[in-house]
Amino acid sequence: MFDTDVFSKTSKTRPVSDVLHIIILLIIIKLLKTFGLFITYDLLKSYHVVLILFLATLFTSICLLFIQKPFSSFRPNKILICRLIKYTICLTIIRLLWLFGLTLCGPLRTILLYEHSDIVIIACFQALFSSSSIGPQGQTSRIRGVVFFILAVLAIFAFDNDDSRQNIDHPEGHLHHRFFAHIFYQLTSLIGVADHKGGVILLLIALFFRCGLNSWSKKLVIDVGGQKKFYAITTCLSTICLIPMSFIILLFNNLFPDSIDSIRSTFQTTISTTITSSLFDNISSLIIPIILITLFLFILDFYVEQLAIIKLDRIRTFRYGTLTMIFSSFIISFIWVKTIRITSNNIWFGRMMQIEEHELSGGVVFAVIMFAFATDLLISPIKQRSGAFIGYNQEGVPLFNLTHQKSQSLLLILKSSLRDILAESDSRRIFYFLCINLMFTFVELLYGAWTNSLGLLSDGFHMLFDCTALVVGLYAALMSRWKPTRVFSYGYGRVEVLSGFVNGLFLVVVAFFVFYEAIGRLFEPPEINTNRLLFVSVAGFAVNMIGIFSFSHAHAHAHGGGGGGSCPMSQPTPTKEQHHHGHSHDHSHSHSHGSSSHDHEHSHGSNEKSSHHGHSHALTDNANMRGVFLHVLADTLGSVGVIISSLLIQYFGWNISDPICSLFISIMIFLSVIPFLKESAMTLLLQTPSNIQYEILDRILKLDQVQSYSDEHFWNLSSSMTVGTIHIQIANDGDEQRVTAQVQTILKEAQIQNVAIQVEKQAFFNHLNGLNSALGQLASSQRTFSHR
Amino acid sequence: MGKSTSVLTSIFYLVKSSHSRSTIIITITTLLICITVFTMAGQANSMALQAYCSLCIFDLLFIGTALLSAWIMENNNTKVRQKMQISNNIDNNSINNSTSLFIPTQTITTFSYGTARFEVLAVFTSTMLSILGAFFILKESIEKYLEDETIHTEYLILSSILTYIIHMIVIYFVRNQAFDHVIAASSSSWLQEHVSDMFQSVCHYIPGLSRLLLPRINPLALLCWCGLAIVFSDSFLLKMGYGHFVDTLSSLLMAFMTFGTMVPMAIYSGKILLQTTPAPMIGQLDKCLHEASRLDGVLEFRHEHFWALSFGTLVGSLHVRCRRDADEQLVLAHVWNKLANVVQILTIHVFKDDWLRRQTHTFMQPQTSNPVLSNNPSTYNGFVVVT
């Protein structure tokens, strides 16, 4: 879509001294263009946008018709004309947007925002969206350029407080822009930005639109036959396009003259277009500047740029052009504002200006610097084209793979991943709960935005934040089913343990921050508005209860033989506290919650009993699911706390109850997460599982001809798999394969699936001595033989 | 009561011993500054400051990791010393002790691979905690932006400078093997990459600076510098009267920087925790396996599992299918010899197909060794039917 050929054309660059005159010419023309823009801005203060554009394009097309004679050798066919007309309409709209943006933002900001070459914008998009196509070395500078660009736009948008503009009561200060402006102000007031900011948005839209149009029209240019001819034809067509529009504008201005001032201005404009010759004033005030604009903006700029592109190259042309315009406009605006302040009446019109000028601010200065950097970084060509080196062909020429990996369409990826998610119960459960949670969050956010309630909005963000834990869990559940690879030789089963651990850490962080906030509030309890809080927290509680029930089902099942004491819910302290807490404060709510925790204890009790029966049950305890469950549990605790504290505040007015509640909750979350964290950490640290009995090793020792064992390592890979490796020393006349098989059966009985057994005899050490191999790690097993 | 006194005595011991005194002093200072700075951040009500001050908490975690890795070193040393003593004892009275050595100790150690992996987990935990903290700050700052409270700028400079000083002291004066290794080995963060890219172009003009700037800068120090710059500009802009937006923006930036700095380290340590083969070792391992597969008697390798136990220690297990007439011990020794240089803790499982028929096999061996007869299928007849 975005052609990268632009960058590859830069291979031949001439030395600067050869093309110095062209560079100077380019710079002068760009200076004139900047000047022309400033004139246009002043002109636009008293005349309508469409009118100015119409006159300018009219003069341009007259000039171009004489210079270029485009229709002399033009063979039109229907399709071509159709395309040309489409292009022209787009071009006209873009130009109108641009000029309208100019009236809103002033010339300096317009130049800063609009006068970027297509290369810069395309490079921006490339860096943002197609990261794989460019090598990593060029990518960093590109990304930096994009960040600078965005910062600059942001600086103009947000940090450039044009205070003088904002204190106009009636925003439609430009009386003659009635029709357009009215719609536009309606729009901007709907979004809620100042009109200067609206202008920024308009200019950006125009810029992107222009880039898209230019890259779209590349083929059209070739079909028509050359850039110059194309430009001439489209300008003529655009003039024709603008004729009806400008007539409509004139009509409107004649029909609805609101105030005296507008009558006056329309009077002027009407006269200026219809009977120009009768008033000499208007010739000097309108025609001369428009001729200047035509020359500077539309003719000279175009021709010199074309020349520079041929003589220099695109990149250098655009770099010098853009940089010149940015800095010159900066300087000119500095002078311009001052001169206007001094004279305080306009040069061309001789009447007082009511509109305040756009002044310089820190944001603009920052934006100028940032734009300069961004242009420099984005326009510089990437040094190396990425191409994967494959090897050499038969003649010894290196081969590169330039084709990129074919990216799948987003829809296909979504479809396949959705199928994967729904394939298994764990991920399906997380997914459904995630959907419910997200739905609730969005309803909350929308409602909050609608009623303008901060509490709801921040609670919605909090919910969104919690959803990330679910997303982590979901991704881990998906990942754990991937096939083993070269690097992940044991498969991805461990991802679940790690994600459980991360979720645990997440809860620790949450608990810490809640604790910190609560301590802060304990000393100065804030006033809390509770009327909508109760409803929201009850709704959140209900959603979380769904989660708890769906996950606790899995949880209770999963807990078959996982070592009873390690379960967070069976830990006595948190449940008890929960219970006490509920009973002492509030009855109706604690009842529901208390019963739920009772349920849990019951299920755990029974499970513990069953786990005492036989340790031979498979370990199906899933750390990932438990992490998610704990997270949901913590959320539920949070909403219970909110319910209790809001009730207390509502009926008793105890504002202090809020921090106390959050203190309790944070401690409870912390206490409940600790055992879980400890367990998953132990799995990650390759702790020997507790259900491996010593008697296994005894049985191995009692086997025929086995003398000793060493280096015994047993560890849980994930919740369902145990890996073991062991070295066994046997007598010299023993049969290795028989011993291996026997040991294997013993280990299989002990639920160790992935076994590696190294059977060693005295001969092995003799061989190793012969091979001069290092015996460092075998010291313990060798001892068996050396001290016989 | 007893517990507290033991803690006190251990602290007393730590303070008395000269090598750890500086660490203890730094720890206590960090703790104090952490509390002070967080109180200030709470007073100032500025999320950017809070984001920057969370570096203090990271410092605490950093010190914890340092202590842990020091403890592991000490542990290993004492173990080696004990082993030396035991072997010395054995040499002295080998006859007396030999019987006891034949019966291995009846306890399975809880951590059969030793405590080296603790370091990895510590690094992972501390990086992950700071990532999650940054994430939390991201969310908090959006909430704060909605709430629109006033920010007191007077605390900003003081507490950020305090944080800066303590962070620099901790990073450069606490010896931390685990983090040093991770910083050196993990891929560089985006912050590092951009800064090195910028410095490269600076050094293009001023070559003299290349010694100072060009190698990768410590990412934690870089984070600190950038954070300080952000907080300063934030306080400047707040004093200029630009409002909350600046504060939110700078806290977002801080959070993203923390994120970018910590993610490569978390990925590196997380990959070790996931039992993966470290990428730089794959080439070497492949070479060794290739050599080993050419050895006499080796038919194929199965279930090759090679994974990093901790920073720089490789553990491996391997199943070797060997020819039926091969000598297992010889094959084992040769394969071992090839791999033992790369893999520190190695288990090689040698197996043969149909080992139960070994008797028949050895019975038929003299016949098969005869080349003329081996071509005749009739001699194999019974054998083929059986299989």
Side-chain angles (χ1 to χ4, degrees), chain B residues 53-228:
Chain B
C53 293
S54 56
L55 274 183
C56 264
I57 292 182
F58 176 75
D59 288 342
L60 284 179
L61 293 169
F62 188 87
I63 293 171
T65 314
L67 289 177
L68 189 69
S69 62
W71 173 71
I72 287 162
M73 279 261 290
E74 193 75 8
N75 237 6
N76 283 350
N77 286 344
T78 49
K79 252 187 197 168
V80 168
R81 229 174 286 143
Q82 276 172 359
K83 263 186 189 169
M84 292 275 279
Q85 276 180 352
I86 286 171
S87 59
N88 283 340
N89 286 341
I90 288 163
D91 286 341
N92 290 339
N93 38 14
S94 54
I95 305 146
N96 296 341
N97 278 346
S98 58
T99 46
S100 65
L101 275 165
F102 273 99
I103 303 155
T105 44
Q106 284 292 310
T107 53
I108 302 176
T109 46
T110 30
F111 297 103
S112 54
Y113 284 112
T115 48
R117 217 171 157 80
F118 279 42
E119 276 184 311
V120 187
L121 193 72
V123 169
F124 181 75
T125 310
S126 40
T127 49
M128 211 62 214
L129 277 177
S130 49
I131 286 172
L132 292 171
F135 200 60
F136 201 84
I137 278 167
L138 213 77
K139 170 223 149 199
E140 281 278 295
S141 61
I142 292 170
E143 279 186 14
K144 271 271 162 63
Y145 179 64
L146 292 174
E147 277 169 17
D148 207 39
E149 287 171 12
T150 50
I151 295 166
H152 308 283
T153 48
E154 60 264 29
Y155 293 108
L156 279 177
I157 301 285
L158 177 65
S159 51
S160 62
I161 286 176
L162 271 181
T163 312
Y164 171 77
I165 291 169
I166 200 68
H167 188 73
M168 280 299 173
I169 287 174
V170 167
I171 281 178
Y172 285 112
F173 289 94
V174 176
R175 209 164 137 267
N176 192 340
Q177 276 189 323
F179 259 102
D180 285 349
H181 179 93
V182 172
I183 285 168
S186 66
S187 60
S188 50
S189 66
W190 63 262
L191 199 64
Q192 265 178 307
E193 222 151 79
H194 281 285
V195 167
S196 75
D197 198 47
M198 269 191 268
F199 281 161
Q200 219 156 32
S201 45
V202 166
C203 292
H204 198 67
Y205 297 111
I206 315 163
L209 286 175
S210 62
R211 194 186 291 169
L212 194 68
L213 301 178
L214 261 198
R216 288 208 305 187
I217 297 171
N218 188 335
L220 300 173
L222 198 62
L223 182 68
C224 190
W225 277 107
C226 293
L228 191 72

Side-chain angles (χ1 to χ4, degrees), chain A residues 245-259:
Chain A
M245 271 179 88
S246 53
F247 266 111
I248 289 168
I249 297 293
L250 286 178
L251 241 106
F252 259 101
N253 284 349
N254 276 334
L255 285 177
F256 310 107
D258 280 340
S259 60

Side-chain angles (χ1 to χ4, degrees), chain B residues 323-379:
Chain B
R323 231 174 33 226
R324 223 174 291 162
D325 57 344
D327 179 10
E328 278 120 329
Q329 294 303 318
L330 195 64
V331 168
L332 181 65
H334 276 283
V335 175
W336 178 280
N337 184 35
K338 287 282 181 237
L339 287 174
N341 295 327
V342 183
V343 186
Q344 279 80 17
I345 300 172
L346 184 61
T347 308
I348 298 168
H349 182 133
V350 181
F351 70 102
K352 294 175 177 176
D353 286 337
D354 295 326
W355 62 272
L356 278 172
R357 317 249 175 276
R358 190 185 152 91
Q359 257 56 47
T360 44
H361 180 68
T362 44
F363 172 67
M364 282 159 74
Q365 212 166 21
Q367 289 176 347
T368 50
S369 63
N370 190 342
V372 181
L373 279 173
S374 68
N375 285 338
N376 189 357
S378 64
T379 46

Side-chain angles (χ1 to χ4, degrees), chain A residues 136-137 139-141 143-144 148 151 154 158-161 361-363 454 457-459 461-462 465 468 486-491 494-495 498 501-502 505-506 508-510 512-514 516-517 524 681-682 684-688 692-694 697-698 701 707-709 711-715 717 725-727 735-738 740-741 744 754-761 763-764 767-768 771-774 777-778 783-784 787-788, chain B residues 38-39 41-43 50 57 86 90-91 94 98 101-114 117-118 121 124-125 128-129 132-133 135-137 139-140 142-144 146-147 193-195 197-198 200-201 237 242 245-246 249 270-271 273-277 282 285-286 289 304-307 309 317-319 327-330 332-334 336-337 340-341 343-352 355-356 358-359:
Chain A
Q137 198 57 48
Q139 192 68 10
T140 44
S141 67
I143 285 176
R144 202 159 62 241
F148 281 163
L151 273 182
L154 207 68
F159 291 100
D160 172 26
N161 42 359
S361 70
L454 286 177
L457 275 179
S458 60
D459 193 61
F461 274 112
H462 184 81
F465 176 68
T468 53
R486 178 82 178 77
V487 172
F488 287 78
S489 58
Y490 284 112
R494 279 226 139 188
V495 174
L498 200 71
F501 185 71
V502 168
L505 287 182
F506 201 127
V508 169
V509 169
V510 168
F512 171 77
F513 273 95
V514 168
Y516 170 70
E517 291 262 306
E524 36 191 281
M682 285 305 158
L684 288 175
L685 288 175
L686 308 178
Q687 189 198 28
T688 311
I692 301 283
Q693 308 282 316
Y694 302 133
L697 294 176
D698 276 344
L701 262 187
Q707 290 180 336
S708 68
Y709 62 85
D711 289 343
E712 70 284 358
H713 300 295
F714 302 102
W715 44 277
L717 178 65
T725 59
I726 192 165
H727 292 203
D735 182 10
E736 289 100 335
Q737 295 304 318
R738 185 184 300 281
T740 307
Q744 230 160 1
N754 204 325
V755 186
I757 303 150
Q758 176 167 330
V759 183
E760 296 159 354
K761 285 184 191 172
F764 171 60
H767 288 311
L768 277 187
L771 287 165
N772 245 343
S773 183
Q777 50 177 304
L778 287 171
R783 213 173 293 141
T784 314
H787 297 293
R788 205 112 56 96
Chain B
F38 259 86
T39 325
Q43 288 289 317
Q50 208 166 321
I57 292 182
I86 286 171
I90 288 163
D91 286 341
S94 54
S98 58
L101 275 165
F102 273 99
I103 303 155
T105 44
Q106 284 292 310
T107 53
I108 302 176
T109 46
T110 30
F111 297 103
S112 54
Y113 284 112
R117 217 171 157 80
F118 279 42
L121 193 72
F124 181 75
T125 310
M128 211 62 214
L129 277 177
L132 292 171
F135 200 60
F136 201 84
I137 278 167
K139 170 223 149 199
E140 281 278 295
I142 292 170
E143 279 186 14
K144 271 271 162 63
L146 292 174
E147 277 169 17
E193 222 151 79
H194 281 285
V195 167
D197 198 47
M198 269 191 268
Q200 219 156 32
S201 45
L237 285 174
Y242 275 95
F245 189 64
V246 186
L249 208 68
K271 270 199 171 161
L273 288 180
L274 285 177
Q275 322 285 103
T276 55
T277 320
I282 285 180
L285 265 176
D286 272 342
L289 282 176
E304 305 113 316
H305 297 298
F306 297 100
W307 44 275
L309 176 67
S317 66
L318 179 71
H319 287 211
D327 179 10
E328 278 120 329
Q329 294 303 318
L330 195 64
L332 181 65
H334 276 283
W336 178 280
N337 184 35
N341 295 327
V343 186
Q344 279 80 17
I345 300 172
L346 184 61
T347 308
I348 298 168
H349 182 133
V350 181
F351 70 102
K352 294 175 177 176
W355 62 272
L356 278 172
R358 190 185 152 91
Q359 257 56 47

Side-chain angles (χ1 to χ4, degrees), chain A residues 303-365:
Chain A
Y303 277 104
V304 171
E305 205 170 279
Q306 289 301 316
L307 181 76
I309 283 173
I310 295 163
K311 294 280 180 188
L312 296 164
D313 49 59
R314 287 170 72 91
I315 286 168
R316 267 206 274 183
T317 309
F318 288 134
R319 171 179 287 163
Y320 291 133
T322 313
L323 289 181
T324 312
M325 284 200 74
I326 287 173
F327 284 114
S328 65
S329 69
F330 184 60
I331 294 160
I332 290 177
S333 79
F334 205 64
I335 301 160
W336 203 269
V337 169
K338 280 202 173 153
T339 49
I340 279 188
R341 270 206 200 127
I342 291 160
T343 52
S344 100
N345 58 350
N346 201 286
I347 311 153
W348 308 102
F349 310 102
R351 63 186 177 114
M352 282 292 289
M353 303 304 302
Q354 286 115 4
I355 307 145
E356 287 83 353
E357 285 303 317
H358 296 275
E359 287 178 25
L360 287 172
S361 70
V364 171
V365 177

Side-chain angles (χ1 to χ4, degrees), chain A residues 141-307:
Chain A
S141 67
R142 278 296 154 89
I143 285 176
R144 202 159 62 241
V146 172
V147 167
F148 281 163
F149 195 88
I150 291 168
L151 273 182
V153 172
L154 207 68
I156 287 188
F157 190 75
F159 291 100
D160 172 26
N161 42 359
D162 240 350
D163 286 332
S164 53
R165 300 276 295 144
Q166 278 158 9
N167 53 27
I168 299 170
D169 275 349
H170 191 55
E172 289 152 270
H174 315 258
L175 293 156
H176 35 273
H177 294 155
R178 192 109 297 232
F179 183 63
F180 263 143
H182 192 68
I183 296 170
F184 182 70
Y185 288 126
Q186 289 280 324
L187 268 177
T188 49
S189 64
L190 202 70
I191 307 166
V193 289
D195 57 339
H196 144 73
K197 292 177 182 180
V200 172
I201 294 171
L202 267 190
L203 281 176
L204 282 180
I205 290 170
L207 178 65
F208 292 143
F209 206 31
R210 190 195 73 191
C211 286
L213 195 66
N214 279 351
S215 49
W216 173 71
S217 68
K218 266 192 184 123
K219 196 164 170 293
L220 192 61
V221 171
I222 296 163
D223 286 349
V224 169
Q227 188 81 46
K228 288 173 188 168
K229 203 168 163 186
F230 179 70
Y231 186 68
I233 290 172
T234 48
T235 312
C236 294
L237 285 176
S238 153
T239 317
I240 298 164
C241 264
L242 282 168
I243 291 173
M245 271 179 88
S246 53
F247 266 111
I248 289 168
I249 297 293
L250 286 178
L251 241 106
F252 259 101
N253 284 349
N254 276 334
L255 285 177
F256 310 107
D258 280 340
S259 60
I260 300 161
D261 209 33
S262 75
I263 289 171
R264 193 179 147 201
S265 71
T266 40
F267 181 60
Q268 262 185 347
T269 45
T270 327
I271 285 171
S272 63
T273 45
T274 49
I275 20 170
T276 340
S277 55
S278 68
L279 286 165
F280 186 74
D281 270 1
N282 276 329
I283 293 178
S284 66
S285 69
L286 183 68
I287 301 301
I288 292 173
I290 280 195
I291 287 172
L292 282 180
I293 291 168
T294 310
L295 268 179
F296 291 161
L297 287 187
F298 292 107
I299 297 177
L300 279 179
D301 176 51
F302 174 73
Y303 277 104
V304 171
E305 205 170 279
Q306 289 301 316
L307 181 76

Side-chain angles (χ1 to χ4, degrees), chain A residues 426 429 551-563 604 607 618-623 625-626 719:
Chain A
D426 278 0
R429 212 171 278 138
F551 287 123
S552 68
H553 183 64
H555 184 60
H557 267 291
H559 229 274
H604 285 304
N607 277 328
L619 280 161
T620 46
D621 183 11
N622 189 336
M625 290 303 277
R626 273 182 54 200
S719 44

